Amino acid sequence: MFITLEGPEGSGKTSQLPRLAEALRAAGHTVLTTREPGGTPIGDQIRKVLFDLGNKSMHPRSEILLFQASRAQLVEEVIQPALAAGQVVLCDRYADSTMAYQGYGHGVDLAQLAELVRFATGGLQPQLTLFLDISPQDGLRRRDADGNWNRLDDYDFEFHQRVYAGYQELIAAEPQRWAVVDATRTPDEVAAELARIALERLQSK
Ligand code: TYD
């Protein structure tokens, strides 16, 4: 089963992912965790280019293609082999991030983007996508307090509001694939809720 985690900046995905993996392992599943962009040696090199504060002149089309290049490599090298071996794959961000950030955030044509994403993934879609729900205000405040600022956080606040609204549209378009979890609660409460939803979905498979 292929499960992805999505959410705005500061939603806590990255700290929740290993906890969710542990909960699924405790229930007897073999779990592989990975993240985007990155997750492979080639993808990690692409990640460095994307997040380099010196790359201010990066064109939006270049950015889109670099995200897809990293994703294509990850699907072929990591995700598909793990799924073929019967593992549960947990991925920190996936195709929905391209639709939310590049599509709704930057206003790139959604149909064109969807086509590029299909090309990059070979059509592989997650069966379950967990959305860690936090408003852009609260998320950016958390991220700022952590001191984890990078090139992509520098985009203006309206951008993050468009991203958030975009996620809401993606969720509304495919409600059976998404599960929305309130990410403003304590980390323990969020972890318990994520585990409950994922285990329920795995059992009903
Ligand atoms: P990262 O440092 O991994 O942070 P986070 O914990 O928020 O995931 O940064 C990922 C950034 O890349 C985040 O700002 C979202 C962005 N992104 C896109 O814009 N498009 C994409 O397709 C992906 C995968 C990520």
Side-chain angles (χ1 to χ4, degrees):
M1 182 162 177
F2 181 26
I3 302 175
T4 58
L5 264 75
E6 295 282 349
E9 313 299 308
S11 58
K13 286 182 294 76
T14 307
S15 58
Q16 288 291 341
L17 189 106
R19 299 187 64 170
L20 178 57
E22 268 323 300
L24 300 185
R25 286 186 187 115
H29 298 282
T30 306
V31 182
L32 182 137
T33 62
T34 186
R35 69 158 178 191
E36 279 210 356
T40 64
I42 290 172
D44 286 336
Q45 293 173 64
I46 296 171
R47 183 181 175 91
K48 284 206 190 87
V49 174
L50 278 163
F51 292 168
D52 187 338
L53 286 165
N55 285 340
K56 291 233 183 296
S57 64
M58 187 181 296
H59 192 277
R61 288 203 301 276
S62 312
E63 183 182 288
I64 289 166
L65 292 169
L66 286 170
F67 277 120
Q68 305 323 305
S70 170
R71 180 167 301 145
Q73 195 66 29
L74 185 68
V75 166
E76 292 305 321
E77 198 175 318
V78 175
I79 299 178
Q80 287 287 23
L83 293 174
Q87 300 181 2
V88 177
V89 175
L90 282 185
C91 190
D92 186 350
R93 297 197 182 280
Y94 188 63
D96 294 304
S97 284
T98 292
M99 302 310 287
Y101 282 80
Q102 280 66 52
Y104 291 96
H106 290 304
V108 176
D109 182 79
L110 293 170
Q112 266 190 335
L113 267 186
E115 200 49 57
L116 283 176
V117 164
R118 247 192 310 278
F119 178 72
T121 60
L124 179 71
Q125 290 175 338
Q127 280 115 325
L128 171 64
T129 300
L130 298 159
F131 182 70
L132 273 74
D133 194 7
I134 188 168
S135 71
Q137 289 91 325
D138 292 347
L140 287 174
R141 204 174 297 130
R142 266 195 198 170
R143 175 54 80 87
D144 207 6
D146 292 347
N148 289 323
W149 208 250
N150 62 43
R151 191 183 67 83
L152 294 180
D153 293 317
D154 273 345
Y155 291 124
D156 54 11
F157 181 61
E158 286 77 51
F159 169 77
H160 291 286
Q161 286 180 306
R162 290 195 299 275
V163 169
Y164 185 81
Y167 272 124
Q168 303 308 314
E169 293 208 20
L170 294 168
I171 293 165
E174 270 182 288
Q176 70 295 343
R177 174 165 67 87
W178 291 82
V180 177
V181 172
D182 177 359
T184 63
R185 291 172 302 170
T186 67
D188 285 349
E189 286 170 325
V190 174
E193 173 84 345
L194 291 172
R196 187 188 62 73
I197 295 168
L199 285 169
E200 198 179 281
R201 207 57 86 87
L202 278 161
Q203 267 150 26
S204 68
K205 241 184 79 161

